[in-house]
Amino acid sequence: MWKIIGRDCFLRNLAKSQPEILLPNSRLFFTFDTIANRRKVYEKKKLVGYTEEQMYSVVSDVENYENFLPWCKKSFVHGRSETLLKGDLVIGFPPLTEKYTSHVTLEKPNYIKAECVDGRLFNYMLTMWRFSRGLKDIPQSCVIDIHVAFEFKSLVHTKISNIFFDQVVRQMEDAFIREAQNRYGLPAIRAHVLGQKSS
């Protein structure tokens, strides 16, 4: 059965499917990209066959990100202490190549938090890793909690990230696991996803 709708209702429905159009008799350019849906969040809980110390060592090795993260073109650390470091990353996945600076909080061997501080690429960027004990009967195992949240300044970057966001974060996550295997050998157990959320 066909449903007859008014012209204004039709145009608004069309605007929702075509996010950037100028509605007739309107002075506003509708984009429907609000602050709420520009921020991307990815969370995952995963059991892996490496210890907390091993995974902490890989994730905290910011100086070498350029050698094992697929989207990282350059990585440089300005200074490091037991609990803090400041690092620059140049990220590139076509057609984006951008540099940003992060302050990284380190709590060995259980917690790493990286926050963007230069504000040129991101309005907001936060990455957190938590490492906790895995299976009691398998000492070489741990549970990883990953939280990634960011909001680009540029609407163009936002639109591109909406397409590639989950893929890029999964590639990052997989790259850390592969680097752990390069350093410490085969995992003691096959990895298991315990929970995942993306928005």
Side-chain angles (χ1 to χ4, degrees), residues 29-40:
F29 187 70
F30 284 76
T31 64
F32 298 95
D33 278 302
T34 64
I35 295 298
N37 64 16
R38 287 179 65 173
R39 183 166 292 189
K40 303 293 293 179

Side-chain angles (χ1 to χ4, degrees), residues 34-50:
T34 64
I35 295 298
N37 64 16
R38 287 179 65 173
R39 183 166 292 189
K40 303 293 293 179
V41 178
Y42 177 95
E43 294 178 335
K44 182 180 272 190
K45 183 186 286 282
K46 192 172 190 177
L47 174 68
V48 300
Y50 297 99

